Amino acid sequence: MNARVCIVNPYEHGGGAEYQIDLIIDRLAASGRYDISHLAHFVDRPDRARKYRSVRIGSGGGVPRLGYLMDAPALYRELRRVDPCLIYQRVACAYTGICAAYARRRSIPLVWHVAHDTDVSPEVLDPGRNLARVRLEKWAVNFGARHATRIIVQTERQAQLLQRNFARTADAVVPNFHPPAAEIIDKSGPMTVLWIANLKLWKRPDAFVRLARSFEESPEVRFVMVGAPSAGSGRHGWQESLMRVIEATPNLAYLGGKTQNEVNELLARAHVLVNTSTHEGFPNTFIQAWLRDAAVVSLDVDPDGVLERKGVGIAARSEPGLTAAVRRLIEDPEARAGFVKRGREHAAANHSLRNVERLVGLLGGYSGGG
């Protein structure tokens, strides 16, 4: 009899965490030893081919006004119906705590996979939202962090935060993983600087706009932004202001949201990837860029200091430093080639699909399906 595994995440389809989940599901399904259910509030097209059973949690629509804790009855009910032998939960939210409560009551393992540094620290990513919602979500995440059966982290930094803030030792450190690049890598086009992220305040898209504006006298350099607006917020408030500034910046193009395949095609032609986030876990875009010969520059995020320690990118630390780093990579092809070579080798050695094999092996050991 196959082991019943429930994967619980707010989104079935979307960003880097969801792509990692897709790769995990592919490997679980290929083994033929698991019956897989994916429980999410936001479900992708119902007609899409799947290797698992997809279930919408809650009534659909946007994020509930008081957060995902409002989905507790629906999520708990569906977990009881599936009766899994293991729950894998990724992306910290109230679902983390709900799954922990269910797993404790049923004496089954909950594997919580930390997706972001703020998952295991006191900070929150969106402190300006409804205060009651923020507190409820953080309370539920903290409950999950204390009571999850196993906790997997992406970086040593996350393991340290988990120990410091919850007095727990991570069960495993498993870096993110990607398949080899399938695209034709072609850098013969115009010099292109790329930014990839959903439009959220903590991703700081405005910093990339200011970067582009600092190069307005260099028309041979193209700046390109890729990312969907924040869920449920549309184009109003700060996003509306941002769009007006983007439209008024002649050397900057905004392409909206793109699929993983489309993002990879853009990276295969881009020369530089820029990250402007305040916090991250381990950006999937770093790995995607390294595999496609795009040099990486980050305003603040440098997980485990890998950019500086391994020479696989530049940690700018300030907006003037960001401008200087991008200018160096544009004007010094030899320096850019060095970052590209080291990045490609680092990704192959540390972020290959060997990591998904290891992760699936851990899940099998925890569930009895290995």
Side-chain angles (χ1 to χ4, degrees):
M1 181 177 176
N2 286 351
R4 295 182 303 280
V5 173
C6 256
I7 294 174
V8 182
N9 187 52
Y11 290 82
E12 183 188 16
H13 177 73
E18 289 73 31
Y19 181 67
Q20 294 286 292
I21 288 172
D22 285 346
L23 294 174
I24 294 166
I25 288 175
D26 285 347
R27 183 62 190 86
L28 289 171
S31 75
R33 297 196 297 269
Y34 300 92
D35 290 332
I36 307 163
S37 297
H38 191 295
L39 282 51
H41 183 91
F42 296 95
V43 174
D44 199 13
R45 302 188 329 267
D47 60 334
R48 178 167 69 84
R50 291 172 170 84
K51 301 174 182 178
Y52 55 91
R53 177 174 167 269
S54 175
V55 180
R56 184 189 302 279
I57 299 301
S59 58
V63 178
R65 188 174 64 86
L66 292 178
Y68 293 110
L69 200 60
M70 296 180 71
D71 284 346
L75 176 54
Y76 208 91
R77 187 166 53 247
E78 189 58 33
L79 287 169
R80 288 184 62 186
R81 200 193 72 75
V82 175
D83 190 23
C85 60
L86 176 137
I87 302 170
Y88 174 86
Q89 202 279 318
R90 190 162 178 155
V91 178
C93 66
Y95 289 176
T96 313
I98 299 164
C99 289
Y102 178 89
R104 289 184 79 201
R105 183 162 186 175
R106 291 302 181 103
S107 298
I108 64 167
L110 164 65
V111 178
W112 181 42
H113 199 149
V114 175
H116 200 285
D117 288 2
T118 56
D119 295 357
V120 284
S121 63
E123 293 102 329
V124 295
L125 287 176
D126 298 308
R129 297 186 306 182
N130 180 305
L131 186 59
R133 170 179 164 181
V134 171
R135 288 178 174 174
L136 286 170
E137 290 278 342
K138 196 63 174 176
W139 173 84
V141 171
N142 291 348
F143 180 88
R146 292 187 179 95
H147 297 291
T149 317
R150 298 282 187 266
I151 300 179
I152 297 173
V153 297
Q154 301 167 318
T155 64
E156 293 295 340
R157 166 69 173 164
Q158 290 175 353
Q160 293 164 7
L161 289 170
L162 180 66
Q163 181 65 50
R164 180 189 308 162
N165 295 310
F166 297 97
R168 291 200 59 171
T169 300
D171 293 275
V173 179
V174 181
N176 284 356
F177 34 82
H178 278 258
E183 303 76 24
I184 296 173
I185 296 173
D186 180 6
K187 309 295 181 178
S188 62
M191 181 66 63
T192 301
V193 181
L194 189 59
W195 183 93
I196 305 164
N198 291 328
L199 300 186
K200 300 177 180 178
L201 281 170
W202 58 273
K203 297 284 190 179
R204 291 189 294 191
D206 53 306
F208 187 75
V209 175
R210 289 191 290 273
L211 173 68
R213 291 197 144 201
S214 71
F215 283 85
E216 283 184 331
E217 295 182 0
S218 303
E220 71 281 4
V221 182
R222 298 173 62 246
F223 289 79
V224 178
M225 296 183 74
V226 174
S230 297
S233 59
R235 284 183 54 171
H236 65 269
W238 72 271
Q239 288 190 88
E240 186 64 36
S241 299
L242 176 70
M243 291 301 174
R244 286 196 295 269
V245 178
I246 290 173
E247 290 164 4
T249 305
N251 62 335
L252 175 60
Y254 171 61
L255 305 185
K258 295 293 179 183
T259 66
Q260 284 284 338
N261 288 340
E262 290 168 333
V263 164
N264 287 337
E265 288 287 353
L266 289 167
L267 282 165
R269 298 192 298 274
H271 300 80
V272 178
L273 171 76
V274 169
N275 180 291
T276 56
S277 299
T278 58
H279 302 80
E280 290 277 3
F282 195 106
N284 281 276
T285 52
F286 284 10
I287 306 168
Q288 291 166 271
W290 289 330
L291 291 170
R292 291 162 183 85
D293 291 359
V296 172
V297 182
S298 178
L299 178 52
D300 279 309
V301 171
D302 186 6
D304 287 348
V306 68
L307 299 184
E308 293 186 339
R309 285 191 303 105
K310 299 291 187 178
V312 295
I314 300 175
R317 308 301 182 193
S318 68
E319 289 197 30
L322 182 66
T323 300
V326 171
R327 192 174 299 280
R328 176 191 174 195
L329 292 173
I330 289 170
E331 296 177 353
D332 188 344
E334 186 174 342
R336 188 173 71 247
F339 284 109
V340 162
K341 179 176 183 295
R342 291 188 295 272
R344 186 191 322 117
E345 292 171 350
H346 179 78
N350 296 278
H351 298 283
S352 75
L353 293 183
R354 290 189 299 272
N355 293 355
V356 75
E357 295 288 344
R358 180 183 171 210
L359 179 55
V360 167
L362 290 171
L363 295 181
Y366 300 150
S367 69

